[in-house]
Amino acid sequence: MAVRGVGIRDVAELAGVSVTTVSHVLNDTEGMRVAPETRARVREAAKTLGYGPNRMAQALRTNRSGLIGLLSEEIATTPHAGRIILGAQNAARAHDLTLVIINTERESSGTSHKDDVQALIDRQVEAVLYATMYHRQVSLPPNLQGIPAVLIDSTDRAGIVPAVVPDEVGGAVAAVTHLVEAGHRRIGFLNNDDDVPATHERLIGFRQVMQQHGLPIDESLIVQAPSETLPGYALAREVLDRPDRPTALFCYNDRMAMGAYRAAAELGLDIPHDLSIVGFDNQELIAANLFPGLTTVALPHYEMGVWAVETLVHLLSGEAEYKLLADRPTRLDCPLVIRGSVAPPRDN
Amino acid sequence: MAVRGVGIRDVAELAGVSVTTVSHVLNDTEGMRVAPETRARVREAAKTLGYGPNRMAQALRTNRSGLIGLLSEEIATTPHAGRIILGAQNAARAHDLTLVIINTERESSGTSHKDDVQALIDRQVEAVLYATMYHRQVSLPPNLQGIPAVLIDSTDRAGIVPAVVPDEVGGAVAAVTHLVEAGHRRIGFLNNDDDVPATHERLIGFRQVMQQHGLPIDESLIVQAPSETLPGYALAREVLDRPDRPTALFCYNDRMAMGAYRAAAELGLDIPHDLSIVGFDNQELIAANLFPGLTTVALPHYEMGVWAVETLVHLLSGEAEYKLLADRPTRLDCPLVIRGSVAPPRDN
DNA sequence: TTGAAAGCGCTAACAT
DNA sequence: ATGTTAGCGCTTTCAA
């Protein structure tokens, strides 16, 4: 309700008290006893004047800018960044913190965003969130030392900073379990071929479910290529052209799944009845617009944004136990989003 | 280069001058004559100490927070918002301004984001950018009065605030011209059925090109439905099932184009040789991942973000002529992005 | 060409 | 229970 030009002294005057009292009342200052009647009068006065504190003066005085920085890679190219921002933003607002976002290029080996961190520091942020575009390990810029920080979607090579990442294994488990429970036993896995955590962990999840259900794993059904549509298509063709083709495909991501859809169409395979498909990432634009809608696994971007800010707040208030979080990254659930690409296999 | 704890007095002391001089030198204060040698000494001192000004103190003293707010609708659901943010962010940084983003729901008739604007005002932003998710008319929240503001992707019903929007007509002209120049004469238009500027203006562009090239317009080839994949598919089927089907389709957006791709596939039509398609929006996730890549029109989101901040800066420095901008919205180019979905028609 | 000092609006230590 | 006052770090007026 801040009306420009109204200061704490105006409120004090109208309420007939000192500025100290106003400050105490409006901030509910700990241990400051103010008569209830005075309180009311001050509140009343503030309201009628439309008083709102001058954050700059507050900031200067308390040495707390109320700003937290979010360093985000590739904000433009992916909707994922948007959901992280949204989560962080909402959580920040709930704590009366203001989120300042700096976009940055993908880290080109070694540079490590030092300048971007500096830009944030120069703007007096109290802490920084460091979000990468996809789950991986990073080395933190040296100037991030000494400032509370939290990593989103990546882990600190040095293991000093708390981090939050998606539970990749869990997501894969959910996806493959869904397939198995629909009755599938021969399931292909179109995996990424990058050496990133997601590649390995989603595979672990895949194997885990198969073993758990006593299903044989045909290694030739686990294939790898870059995680794009075209390679996904090629991989799908490779696997589906076989006489003993799988009845279901688990795809590393939605783009590869999109390639698989094309392969299925070319082969005259009906999704989901001739072939079930599950993706990963829940990219709305793809998943919701394919025919039929793609059942896929959602990455907890929003939740990671929230978690990161909450953790930062704890860190800022010096709660010791939160430092321990750096020990190992926190893993957040990757829930399955069911659309229409999974059905029981035809002959079972 | 701010190192925490280093203040202007430290610099003054090291340089052997007063804080006044330091301030003058570091800010290149107008009309303040400082001996070149002193200047150098001050700069030197600032550098060795790693001095950076305390923005909060600066802000308080000058009454300029250095913050500008961006009210963005639906940041999470669309990559478009990301590009606006990116542009605004970069431009802001160039002017040493900090961008504060507030996400907001889509305006439900009447509420008009008053609270969100207030949140920004409470944070002492100097000006606000108001970005909508798609091109339309809005009524501005009353509390935005008195604060410099610029609209992005929408126009002010009251016509008071400068606005920047995509040149929809120009984009459609580029798209259809591309088709015509490839040799197409029978072109279908799968249009949106919402009453928004884009619907009307893209149609205008379509007609304009046809007339300009002396091509007959078959009104039955101009069809409308909600701008989603499924309706796009249905529309495409409707138009392509005809014996005198068009050789090319101009689609209101990439999602409708995606539906058209499916229709073409079902009908055994090869894109681009049997059917050329042009979309609108350049949604990377769709356009780049379709087979073949979708030729489409890009919306100037990044550029609108930049333009908005630049305009805000002018507004803030009180340049009168910029107020006149409110008169009519500035239209920015929608460039054609050529991929692989257009070829000359088969029999021509 | 340079410096002293006031004061931006607020909080908090200290008085009363 | 409430008030007086110093001072956060900076810019800027005014004086030297």
Side-chain angles (χ1 to χ4, degrees), chain A residues 169-188 205-210 212-213 215 247-251 261 271-273 275-280 292-298 334-345 348:
Chain A
V169 175
V173 166
V176 182
T177 300
H178 183 59
L179 252 14
V180 170
E181 287 179 347
H184 296 276
R185 356 237 81 206
R186 276 186 70 71
I187 302 173
F206 176 81
R207 291 190 186 281
Q208 195 171 301
V209 175
M210 296 298 275
Q212 201 175 304
H213 288 79
L215 297 174
T247 60
L249 252 25
F250 172 42
C251 303
Y261 266 61
I271 299 171
H273 303 297
L275 179 70
S276 288
I277 297 186
V278 178
F280 213 111
L294 176 65
T295 291
T296 185
V297 177
C334 295
L336 188 69
V337 177
I338 296 180
R339 291 201 178 83
S341 60
V342 174
N348 185 39

